[in-house]
Amino acid sequence: MTATALTACTGYAVSINDNPVYNPPTLFTDFRLPDAALHDCVQQTIEDRQVTQATQLTQLNCSSAGIESLAGLSTFTALRAISLNDNPLEDVAELRTLSRLEVLLLENNQIRSAEPLLSLLRLKEVDLRGNTALECRDARQLADNAEGKVRLPEHCTEAS
């Protein structure tokens, strides 16, 4: 009976006679993201999903958040899916160390180079549409090498 009662209180500290019996794990806070918009998005996701370790964060949706920099995102090495559509991002170099990434949505940003994405061998879905400043050589190489679906900006799909 006591175990059942404690299980129902996983979000609360439980004490008996002022002696702690159970303290819930604390949310993960050991990260630094200089971009305030990215920090707010990650913080909200940690709270919503009750993430207590960096490796528990596997999905992140930060679309339309005003994110300009991904600095510090490499802390979350277990990320498998990221949506960063509709942000003013120019540089995605921080993503190169996220080797578990399978889904990467970057539609309508200002990304200039897809080169950092070439080392992400598990990518199954990439969306780069709407990145009008994107250099096409690396983007096309990414599309050729990826096992999944890579959507390129219109200027990279036109016959050259």
Side-chain angles (χ1 to χ4, degrees), residues 65-80:
I67 297 168
E68 297 179 11
S69 171
L70 299 177
L73 194 60
S74 59
T75 298
F76 300 96
T77 58
L79 280 167
R80 289 196 166 95

Side-chain angles (χ1 to χ4, degrees), residues 17 20 26 33 68 97-98 106 134 142 159:
N17 296 332
T26 57
L33 302 170
E68 297 179 11
T97 61
L98 300 178
L106 296 165
L134 187 66
L142 178 66

